[in-house]
Amino acid sequence: QIRNLVLVSTVLGGILATLAILALAAYLLIRALNRLRGRVGVAWRFGLANISRRPASSVVQIVAFGVGIMVLLLLSTVRSDLLDDWQQSLPEDAPNHFVINVQSDQVAGITDYFHERGVTNTRLYPMVRARLVEVNGRPVRESEYETERAKHMVTREFNLSWAEDMQADNMLIAGSWWSSEDFGKPLLSLEAELAKTLGLGMNDVLGFDINGVVIEFTISSLRKVEWDTFNINFFTVVPPGVLEDKPANWVTSIYLDAEQRQQLGPLVRAFPNITLIDVETIMQRVRTIMDRVTLAVEFIFLFTILAGLAVLYAAIQANQDQRRFENAVLRTLGARKTTMALGLFAEFTTLGALSGLLAGLSATTLAWVLAETIFKFDYAFDLSVALTGVVSGIVIVVIAGMLGTRSVLTHPPIQTLREGAA
């Protein structure tokens, strides 16, 4: 359905690796429990012994619950914490409005309009629509590119812009920015990720079709761009003096406070062709969509929790006779029913705590991976996620486990021993 073998393989590999890591961690934790058995009371010793005697079953139960709780915690973290962290990473005066479709003869009027209302950081940028048709003299063909992003980029129109100085949120990683002596020369500064996607490099010659005329540009620099600042940025930038005679639209991003936002009506009436985009409204819509999608996925993964419960009940039923016999023998030797109940409580509390702990740590780690590799911003580890996982695991597993082992405690020991003898 996704039609992206690399993405599907990566996700599948990540799922299998996560399961393997959870299983290994669960097994090591169970082994570590053996060292605690001699340092705790009778009830806890009995509960830990139940886990240690059945390591394979215990690992399966921990992983089954851990995966479900982990995904729910991860979705909650991505939906709230990551989005909040990203928004908090933006400066308070980060642009919250875009103005697009501005014509060349309207640039001065719009700039003056904003300046009169205290918006002094207004800078409009030109955009010339062009299509990439040649690379080093060879025609560009969609079929020659493997990734969907590359195919999309070579079939869409580019927005060529010109600038005298490089923007502050751009960083050169190859080549050099042009000087005044280069104005008017067909040079091109290309965004580095796009260059990587299309297999382009320094000194490659790109031919762009602009209104039926092909103009060739030589790549003179590669830039790394911070796209999440909401400042205007471009994949392709050329020196001044090259495209000024071509039809251009202009665009800008600005920060407006609550009072200034109320004064946009006269601007739209004076320039009815422009388009205003409210970033805050869009972000709120994005958050709403994320909430709905996350709710749907959370509902699906509730079935994972139910599957964990099924695994737990299956494990309990598989060794129900053994549990009854152990309970009958210990009761005959003088153990009280309360002690046996506390032993079961200790067993399921430990299983739930281990499941929740692994789930919380895994969710936090995966959130960090997403923040670093996908969202590209810093993420602070939140121990409350692990604590939430531990509490959730204990509550779910203890309730389900105690309900599943009621017959162990209620079955008369003498009857169990007679049935065993028979």
Side-chain angles (χ1 to χ4, degrees), residues 36-50 330 334-336 338-340 342-344 346:
L36 298 177
R37 290 169 58 182
R39 305 176 184 178
V40 294
V42 176
W44 279 94
R45 189 181 309 168
F46 175 66
L48 297 180
N50 284 340
L330 291 173
R336 293 181 299 175
T338 303
T339 302
M340 304 307 299
L342 289 176
L344 293 174

Side-chain angles (χ1 to χ4, degrees), residues 18 21-22 66 70 74 355-368 385-386:
T18 301
I21 292 173
L22 285 175
M70 178 196 71
L74 178 61
S355 300
L357 178 62
L358 292 178
L361 294 178
S362 300
T364 304
T365 302
L366 290 175
W368 173 78
V385 177

Side-chain angles (χ1 to χ4, degrees), residues 97-102 106 109-111 113-114 117 254 256 260-278:
H97 283 78
F98 285 95
V99 184
I100 64 176
N101 294 331
V102 178
Q106 298 175 325
I110 290 178
T111 302
Y113 178 91
F114 284 119
R117 287 156 179 80
I254 53 177
L256 300 177
Q260 292 167 338
R261 293 175 67 179
Q262 302 301 321
Q263 303 177 26
L264 293 175
L267 176 67
V268 176
R269 288 192 291 270
F271 305 97
N273 60 287
I274 69 172
T275 301
L276 288 170
I277 301 176
D278 188 338

Side-chain angles (χ1 to χ4, degrees), residues 240-252:
V242 179
L243 298 176
E244 279 82 344
D245 60 336
K246 306 299 180 183
N249 283 326
W250 296 69
V251 61
T252 187

Side-chain angles (χ1 to χ4, degrees), residues 199-219:
L200 303 174
M202 292 290 296
N203 301 317
D204 282 342
V205 179
L206 309 185
F208 286 94
D209 185 337
I210 305 175
N211 292 332
V213 178
V214 177
I215 302 179
E216 294 185 340
F217 296 89
T218 301
I219 298 177

Side-chain angles (χ1 to χ4, degrees), residues 113-294:
Y113 178 91
F114 284 119
H115 282 181
E116 291 172 0
R117 287 156 179 80
V119 185
T120 58
N121 60 343
T122 306
R123 177 185 174 185
L124 281 87
Y125 299 85
M127 299 189 308
V128 175
R129 305 290 284 180
R131 186 178 294 276
L132 180 63
V133 294
E134 294 179 359
V135 175
N136 295 325
R138 294 181 54 191
V140 172
R141 295 184 177 86
E142 179 185 356
S143 58
E144 296 179 355
Y145 295 91
E146 297 181 359
T147 66
E148 291 297 324
R149 183 170 186 264
K151 293 179 180 180
H152 171 70
M153 295 303 296
V154 298
T155 55
R156 55 158 279 184
E157 287 188 324
F158 283 79
N159 290 316
L160 302 182
S161 185
W162 64 85
E164 180 177 342
D165 300 315
M166 187 174 62
Q167 292 181 239
D169 52 4
N170 287 211
M171 181 178 67
L172 281 178
I173 63 174
S176 59
W177 194 256
W178 39 73
S179 63
S180 58
E181 297 178 355
D182 297 319
F183 292 179
K185 295 181 180 179
L187 303 177
L188 180 70
S189 179
L190 192 63
E191 194 265 342
E193 287 297 324
L194 175 62
K196 180 180 179 180
T197 299
L198 299 182
L200 303 174
M202 292 290 296
N203 301 317
D204 282 342
V205 179
L206 309 185
F208 286 94
D209 185 337
I210 305 175
N211 292 332
V213 178
V214 177
I215 302 179
E216 294 185 340
F217 296 89
T218 301
I219 298 177
S220 60
S221 65
L222 299 176
R223 294 168 292 115
K224 181 180 179 181
V225 179
E226 295 183 22
W227 294 105
D228 58 354
T229 62
F230 285 117
N231 293 322
I232 299 298
N233 275 296
F234 297 93
F235 287 110
T236 48
V237 181
V238 304
V242 179
L243 298 176
E244 279 82 344
D245 60 336
K246 306 299 180 183
N249 283 326
W250 296 69
V251 61
T252 187
S253 61
I254 53 177
Y255 172 78
L256 300 177
D257 58 31
E259 181 179 351
Q260 292 167 338
R261 293 175 67 179
Q262 302 301 321
Q263 303 177 26
L264 293 175
L267 176 67
V268 176
R269 288 192 291 270
F271 305 97
N273 60 287
I274 69 172
T275 301
L276 288 170
I277 301 176
D278 188 338
V279 176
E280 292 183 2
T281 301
I282 294 176
M283 291 306 301
Q284 184 59 42
R285 181 60 177 168
V286 170
R287 184 182 289 276
T288 300
I289 294 174
M290 287 182 63
D291 287 343
R292 292 177 179 176
V293 173
T294 303

